[in-house]
Amino acid sequence: MTVKELSQLSYLRKEIHRLTTQISEMKQKGKVTYELEVLLKKRLNECQEELFRLEQYIETVDDSRIRQIMTLRYEQGMSWVQVAQRMGGGASESCARMAVTRFLNKEK
């Protein structure tokens, strides 16, 4: 897993919401063709699968501290400063960021 992949979590959620809304609105207005609906639903399914894969990865992390940091940062979309404050213990945002980076590098 990489930081780049994990960083996609919040964007995937937004894209899923946008696609769901777009499909619904187009259907209501009668402005969707079968081909377009198939393409949008395919993209929606791909986003949902990737979101599930990333969330599942975080849930399988054995280290509670790292799992909490990842959840706050990537699932809840907090800044590194907010993550450090939430984790407490006087750790800075760079400590939280480096902990995740070291963990991911060790996983390779």
Side-chain angles (χ1 to χ4, degrees):
M1 186 63 58
T2 66
V3 169
K4 185 176 179 179
E5 288 174 295
L6 289 170
S7 296
Q8 291 298 303
L9 266 167
S10 62
Y11 296 111
L12 285 166
R13 282 196 180 90
K14 289 175 187 175
E15 187 171 5
I16 289 167
H17 177 72
R18 183 189 57 78
L19 286 167
T20 303
T21 302
Q22 183 180 5
I23 292 167
S24 176
E25 287 176 353
M26 290 177 89
K27 280 184 170 183
Q28 287 176 354
K29 294 177 183 177
K31 293 186 177 183
V32 64
T33 63
Y34 173 78
E35 292 83 7
L36 179 58
E37 185 177 358
V38 168
L39 285 173
L40 292 173
K41 285 184 176 180
K42 180 181 180 214
R43 182 69 194 136
L44 177 62
N45 187 49
E46 290 168 353
C47 290
Q48 289 170 330
E49 287 176 3
E50 181 65 2
L51 179 70
F52 177 74
R53 183 182 76 85
L54 295 171
E55 288 175 335
Q56 191 173 34
Y57 172 78
I58 291 173
E59 290 305 314
T60 63
V61 171
D62 290 334
D63 186 313
S64 176
R65 179 173 168 262
I66 299 297
R67 189 174 53 252
Q68 288 178 63
I69 293 171
M70 287 179 169
T71 298
L72 294 171
R73 173 65 179 170
Y74 301 111
E75 288 190 20
Q76 296 182 16
M78 291 183 179
S79 70
W80 285 113
V81 172
Q82 292 169 318
V83 170
Q85 290 171 346
R86 181 69 68 89
M87 293 300 294
S92 69
E93 65 271 14
S94 60
C95 290
R97 185 176 33 249
M98 285 306 300
V100 170
T101 301
R102 285 185 190 116
F103 177 82
L104 292 174
N105 287 338
K106 190 171 78 172
E107 289 279 296
K108 289 181 182 180

